[in-house]
C-alpha cells in the first residue's frame, strides 16, 4: 500500500452502492463486505453463482527472455511446470523462509507472466520482484492499474459468464483471452471459493458494464464477507491471518507448493523446516477445525494447551463454527479433540480434514 | 425484516435494546437498528436462567457470520427465561426482533431504573 491514508475505490464502487452494499475499509480500499447478507451470498455461490469485485488485488507482469529463470528464483513452486495458458499457486519467501505473500501466476505467452498479489502486499511484492530482477534480463511492470478483477464463482458461474461473453471458457486452472465490446479480457479458470468458476481480468473502464451484464444474467453480487467464509470452508489461506513473514510455509501447510530443488530465495530455510517435520519451530502447525457444539471461533482465540485460531467464522455450509488454527503437532491429527477459548468460554472442537466443505460430485 | 420499525409500547436503551415491561418482569431484545447493523444472526450466546443482569452492562453476546456484539441490559434483574427458539432459529432476531426474536425474560430488581429508559421517539432521535 502506498503511504497515503486515503481509501481507494475500485471502478465498481458506484455499482456496489447501487446493489445495496455495506462498504468497509479493507487493506486501504473501500470494499463491499456484503449486499443481501453474508450467509445468503455464501449459499448463492455454493448453489448457483456469485460475483466478487476483487479489483483491489494487484498484478505484476514479468516479461523477457529470462522471465522463467527469474520467477523460478523467487517463487516457491516449479514455475517451469506452467504451460502457456496455465496457472500456478505459490508463495514468495524471504531468505529465512518467512512468507511474504501467496500468489497466483498465469503464463500468458512464452516469456510473459502475470502474477496476482494480495492488495495489502502489492507494493511490498513489487519491491521484492524488482530487487531480485536486477540479476536477470527481465522486465517487471506494475500492472495494477491495467486491470479490474471480477471473480464469478459457483456451479452456474461458467454458464452465466459464457452467456455474457459468448466465449467457450478455459478449463479449471487454464487461462484464455476474450474480446468483449472491443476490450481484451483475460479469463482464468481460477477462484478462491472451493467452487467452479472463473476470474476475469479486464480493463477498468469496461468493468461496470460487465458487472451489469453478469447481474442481468442472474449472478448474485457477493462481498468480502462471503469470500472469507467460502475460502475458510475450502481451507484456503488468508495472508495476514494464516500466513505471515514470521512463519514458514511448511508449518502453514503449504509445503506442497514449495519445490526447494528450484533454488528459490528462501529454499534453504524451507528445506530445513521441511526436514524438521510438519510443525513450525514453535511446535505449531496449521490445521482446519470445526466446533462440535455451540459457539463461533474468531481469529485470535487461544487454543487451550497452546496455539491460536487464525481464521474463524460461522461456516454457512456446515452450520457450525469452523476455521483454521495453529495447534501443537501432537494435537494435529484429524479427529483430535481441541478446546478453544472464545472470549473466556471454552468451546469443544475437533481437528478436521481438508477441505472443511467438499462440493457434491455431480 | 424489510423496513425499520420501533413499536410505541416498548422502552428503549440507547445501546439499541428494547424492553417490554409487564409489572415486575420485562422481556428484552435488540432493536431493528441493531439487528440490521449486525446482519444475519447465527448465534445467541445466552445467559443462564437465574443469572443476574445489570443495567448498562453486557449480559450476553449475539453473533452474525462476521461479527460479534455485546448485548447490553436495559434494566437490572434476574433471568427467568431464555428464548428457546433461538437455539435452532437465531435468524428470528432478524425476521421478527420484537416478537419471535426476543432474547430473555427478566424479573426486575430496581423499578426506579425505568425512568432512565427512552420512549420510542427519543430513541429514534438518537439514530440520526
Amino acid at each position: 500500500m502506498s503511504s497515503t491514508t486515503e481509501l481507494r475505490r475500485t471502478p465498481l464502487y458506484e455499482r456496489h452502492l447501487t446493489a445495496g452494499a455495506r462498504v468497509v475499509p479493507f487493506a486501504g480500499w473501500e470494499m463491499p463486505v456484503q449486499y443481501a447478507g453474508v450467509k445468503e451470498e455464501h449459499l448463492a455461490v455454493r448453489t448457483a453463482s456469485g460475483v466478487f469485485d476483487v479489483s483491489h488485488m494487484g498484478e505484476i507482469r514479468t516479461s523477457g527472455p529470462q522471465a522463467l529463470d527469474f520467477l523460478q528464483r523467487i517463487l516457491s513452486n516449479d514455475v517451469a511446470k506452467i504451460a502457456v495458458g496455465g496457472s500456478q499457486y505459490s508463495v514468495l519467501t524471504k531468505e529465512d523462509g518467512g512468507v511474504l505473500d501467496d500468489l497466483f501466476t498465469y503464463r500468458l505467452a512464452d516469456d510473459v507472466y502475470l502474477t496476482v498479489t494480495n492488495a495489502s502486499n502489492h507494493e511490498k511484492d513489487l519491491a521484492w520482484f524488482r530487487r531480485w530482477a536486477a540479476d536477470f534480463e527481465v522486465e517487471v511492470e506494475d500492472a495494477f492499474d491495467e486491470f479490474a478483477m471480477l471473480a464469478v464463482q459457483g456451479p452456474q458461474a461458467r454458464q452465466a459468464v459464457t452467456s455474457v461473453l459468448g466465449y467457450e471458457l478455459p478449463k479449471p486452472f487454464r487461462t484464455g483471452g476474450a474480446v468483449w465490446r472491443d476490450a481484451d479480457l483475460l479469463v482464468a479458470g481460477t477462484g478462491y471459493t472451493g467452487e467452479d468458476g472463473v476470474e476475469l481480468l479486464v480493463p477498468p473502464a469496461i468493468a461496470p458494464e460487465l458487472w451489469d451484464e453478469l447481474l442481468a444474467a442472474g449472478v448474485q453480487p457477493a462481498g468480502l464477507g462471503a469470500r472469507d467464509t467460502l475460502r475458510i470452508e475450502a481451507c484456503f489461506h488468508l495472508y495476514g491471518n494464516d500466513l505471515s513473514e514470521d512463519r514458514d510455509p511448511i508449518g502453514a501447510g503449504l509445503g506442497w507448493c514449495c519445490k526447494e530443488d528450484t533454488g528459490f530465495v528462501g529454499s534453504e530455510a524451507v528445506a530445513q523446516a521441511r526436514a524438521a517435520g510438519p510443525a513450525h519451530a514453535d511446535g505449531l502447525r496449521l490445521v482446519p477445525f470445526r466446533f462440535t457444539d455451540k459457539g463461533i471461533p474468531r481469529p485470535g482465540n487461544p487454543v487451550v494447551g497452546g496455539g491460536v485460531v487464525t481464521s474463524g467464522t460461522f461456516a454457512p455450509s456446515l452450520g457450525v463454527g469452523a476455521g483454521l488454527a495453529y495447534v501443537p503437532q501432537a494435537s494435529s491429527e484429524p479427529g483430535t479433540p481441541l478446546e478453544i477459548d472464545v472470549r473466556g468460554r471454552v468451546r469443544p472442537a475437533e481437528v478436521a480434514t481438508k477441505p472443511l466443505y467438499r462440493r457434491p460430485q455431480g | 425484516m424489510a423496513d425499520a420499525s420501533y413499536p410505541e409500547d416498548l422502552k428503549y436503551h440507547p445501546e439499541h435494546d428494547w424492553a417490554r415491561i409487564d409489572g415486575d418482569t420485562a422481556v428484552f431484545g435488540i432493536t431493528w437498528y441493531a439487528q440490521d447493523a449486525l446482519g444475519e444472526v447465527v448465534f445467541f450466546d445466552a445467559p443462564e436462567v437465574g443469572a443476574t443482569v445489570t443495567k448498562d452492562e453486557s449480559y450476553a453476546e449475539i453473533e452474525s457470520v462476521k461479527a460479534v456484539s455485546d448485548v447490553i441490559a436495559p434494566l437490572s434483574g434476574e433471568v427467568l427465561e431464555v428464548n428457546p427458539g433461538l437455539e435452532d432459529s437465531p435468524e428470528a432476531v432478524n425476521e421478527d426482533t420484537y416478537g419471535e426474536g426476543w432474547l430473555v425474560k427478566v424479573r426486575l430488581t430496581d423499578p426506579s431504573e425505568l425512568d432512565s429508559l427512552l420512549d420510542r421517539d427519543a430513541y429514534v432521535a438518537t439514530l440520526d
Side-chain angles (χ1 to χ4, degrees), chain A:
Chain A
M1 235 192 79
S2 57
S3 58
T4 172
T5 51
E6 189 150 321
L7 292 169
R8 302 173 68 180
R9 291 175 177 178
T10 78
L12 294 167
Y13 179 80
E14 296 298 331
R15 292 298 193 278
H16 298 318
L17 298 185
T18 304
R22 186 168 296 171
V23 174
V24 299
F26 178 83
W29 293 75
E30 285 188 281
M31 297 300 290
V33 67
Q34 63 174 68
Y35 306 82
V38 176
K39 205 166 152 186
E40 185 176 320
E41 293 158 31
H42 176 108
L43 297 173
V45 172
R46 288 271 181 256
T47 58
S49 64
V51 55
F52 303 85
D53 176 12
V54 285
S55 303
H56 60 307
M57 296 184 81
E59 295 83 15
I60 300 173
R61 183 187 292 102
T62 306
S63 55
Q66 287 192 297
L68 170 59
D69 299 340
F70 162 67
L71 290 173
Q72 195 70 294
R73 178 80 178 102
I74 61 168
L75 297 178
S76 66
N77 214 329
D78 184 357
V79 183
K81 289 243 174 5
I82 320 179
V84 173
S87 69
Q88 189 185 65
Y89 179 81
S90 64
V91 291
L92 206 55
T93 48
K94 295 186 301 182
E95 292 92 331
D96 69 1
V99 177
L100 287 159
D101 204 0
D102 63 329
L103 320 143
F104 248 99
T105 297
Y106 303 98
R107 188 175 186 182
L108 305 185
D110 270 340
D111 55 3
V112 182
Y113 295 82
L114 191 73
T115 300
V116 176
T117 63
N118 279 300
S120 53
N121 290 334
H122 182 70
E123 297 298 329
K124 178 179 80 173
D125 294 355
L126 196 59
W128 187 259
F129 269 58
R130 286 182 170 146
R131 173 184 154 185
W132 295 96
D135 301 335
F136 295 88
E137 199 178 335
V138 67
E139 187 181 6
V140 171
E141 290 169 276
D142 181 357
F144 191 101
D145 294 334
E146 295 176 37
F147 297 104
M149 191 168 168
L150 298 177
V152 190
Q153 303 281 296
Q156 293 166 18
R158 285 174 170 271
Q159 197 183 334
V161 175
T162 303
S163 75
V164 171
L165 297 185
Y167 272 81
E168 177 96 6
L169 300 178
K171 291 187 163 51
F173 304 106
R174 303 284 303 165
T175 63
V179 176
W180 188 72
R181 301 194 180 173
D182 298 332
D184 287 323
L185 316 187
L186 176 64
V187 183
T190 49
Y192 217 59
T193 59
E195 295 296 327
D196 192 14
V198 294
E199 289 175 310
L200 305 166
L201 287 102
V202 310
I206 202 97
E209 265 177 77
L210 183 56
W211 171 270
D212 292 345
E213 293 295 328
L214 289 165
L215 265 50
V219 182
Q220 175 153 348
L224 293 181
R227 187 172 165 83
D228 195 46
T229 54
L230 289 157
R231 69 96 194 160
I232 289 174
E233 287 184 354
C235 294
F236 293 143
H237 299 68
L238 176 64
Y239 193 90
N241 284 45
D242 315 302
L243 299 172
S244 74
E245 292 187 32
D246 304 327
R247 292 193 175 273
D248 64 68
I250 301 294
L254 290 177
W256 64 270
C257 72
C258 297
K259 305 292 189 285
E260 290 91 292
D261 56 3
T262 62
F264 62 90
V265 176
S267 56
E268 286 163 9
V270 171
Q272 272 181 353
R274 194 188 295 274
H280 283 300
D282 61 6
L284 303 177
R285 64 182 294 201
L286 192 72
V287 296
F289 70 90
R290 54 192 296 162
F291 274 14
T292 48
D293 194 9
K294 289 187 288 192
I296 301 174
R298 303 291 181 188
N301 292 161
V303 177
V304 176
V308 65
V309 173
T310 50
S311 286
T313 185
F314 173 80
S317 298
L318 309 179
V320 296
L324 301 171
Y326 279 96
V327 304
Q329 168 67 20
S331 305
S332 64
E333 280 301 309
T336 308
L338 295 174
E339 290 184 316
I340 292 174
D341 179 341
V342 182
R343 298 180 302 278
R345 198 178 291 202
V346 173
R347 302 280 187 186
E350 66 176 15
V351 178
T353 49
K354 281 184 194 182
L356 285 157
Y357 171 84
R358 196 178 292 278
R359 70 175 186 248
Q361 296 303 311

Side-chain angles (χ1 to χ4, degrees), chain B:
Chain B
M1 231 178 343
D3 295 327
S5 71
Y6 303 100
E8 285 277 7
D9 62 330
L10 304 177
K11 291 290 186 185
Y12 294 88
H13 185 277
E15 292 287 346
H16 314 293
D17 307 275
W18 56 262
R20 183 175 285 120
I21 316 293
D22 180 12
D24 68 344
T25 66
V27 171
F28 296 168
I30 64 170
T31 65
W32 188 95
Y33 176 91
Q35 67 76 33
D36 182 58
L38 201 53
E40 304 132 296
V41 171
V42 293
F43 184 52
F44 176 53
D45 196 359
E48 301 287 329
V49 169
T52 300
V53 303
T54 307
K55 178 178 156 57
D56 301 332
E57 290 184 13
S58 170
Y59 69 91
E61 286 174 338
I62 195 160
E63 304 201 42
S64 63
V65 179
K66 296 308 299 171
V68 54
S69 174
D70 281 321
V71 186
I72 304 299
L75 297 163
S76 303
E78 180 199 338
V79 177
L80 299 175
E81 282 177 54
V82 171
N83 183 348
L86 297 182
E87 178 96 31
D88 292 327
S89 303
E91 66 277 10
V93 174
N94 301 113
E95 290 160 4
D96 185 16
T97 193
Y98 303 111
E100 296 290 313
W102 65 277
L103 301 180
V104 295
K105 186 175 178 185
V106 169
R107 182 184 311 286
L108 300 176
T109 47
D110 186 354
S112 71
E113 289 176 346
L114 283 171
D115 300 339
S116 66
L117 292 183
L118 306 172
D119 63 16
R120 175 189 183 276
D121 292 348
Y123 171 67
V124 171
T126 68
L127 300 179
D128 299 330

